């Protein structure tokens, strides 16, 4: 068995607002900087989702719209792989394709 780590380092200003988000995953050789992070964890004991949503002060609204849209679309892919529920996944994708057009993040 092997244990690995993904590390996030968040620098905040005097008002505790994120100004920098860095992450690294030593096993993959990756390290980078990001403007936003959405982390969801399933708490089996509480039977509930725990979330951490952070974004830096310099993340533009258009970037957040794209980030949000892409997260929903890829989360739907994850849902499909985990459940095999094609009907629901297709419905969500169709709906968010239209939402993405309305938001101006896809043409």
């Amino acid at each position: 068995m092997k244990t690995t780590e993904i590390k996030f380092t968040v620098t905040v200003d005097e008002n505790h607002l994120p100004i920098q988000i860095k992450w690294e995953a030593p096993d993959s050789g990756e390290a980078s900087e990001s403007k936003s992070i959405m982390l969801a964890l399933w708490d089996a004991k509480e039977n509930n989702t725990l979330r951490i949503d952070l974004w830096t002060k310099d993340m533009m609204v258009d970037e957040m719209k794209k980030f949000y849209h892409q997260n929903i679309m890829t989360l739907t892919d994850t849902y499909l792989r985990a459940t095999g529920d094609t009907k629901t996944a297709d419905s969500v994708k169709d709906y968010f394709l239209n939402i993405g057009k309305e938001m101006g993040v896809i043409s």
Side-chain angles (χ1 to χ4, degrees):
M1 188 181 306
K2 180 180 179 180
T3 301
T4 189
E5 181 176 279
I6 300 172
K7 180 180 175 183
F8 296 95
T9 304
V10 180
T11 304
V12 297
D13 66 10
E14 62 279 353
N15 296 314
H16 304 286
L17 297 173
I19 56 173
Q20 185 179 53
I21 300 170
K22 292 183 177 181
W23 66 271
E24 60 183 285
D27 277 3
S28 68
E30 295 272 350
S32 189
E33 197 169 316
S34 177
K35 289 184 178 182
S36 183
I37 178 175
M38 291 182 181
L39 180 62
L41 306 160
W42 181 252
D43 184 331
K45 180 180 174 188
E46 296 293 326
N47 198 33
N48 194 9
T49 300
L50 306 174
R51 294 192 47 87
I52 298 171
D53 299 323
L54 298 172
W55 56 95
T56 60
K57 297 188 323 183
D58 67 336
M59 185 164 192
M60 300 283 104
V61 171
D62 287 344
E63 292 174 310
M64 181 55 86
K65 287 180 178 182
K66 188 177 246 185
F67 182 58
Y68 169 76
H69 183 263
Q70 289 176 357
N71 264 284
I72 297 295
M73 296 300 273
T74 57
L75 185 59
T76 304
D77 293 335
T78 302
Y79 172 81
L80 177 60
R81 282 193 310 275
T83 65
D85 182 357
T86 305
K87 182 178 177 186
T88 300
D90 288 347
S91 293
V92 172
K93 284 236 175 182
D94 287 345
Y95 181 74
F96 267 88
L97 280 173
N98 290 326
I99 294 294
K101 290 174 185 173
E102 290 176 18
M103 292 169 63
V105 298
I106 58 175
S107 52

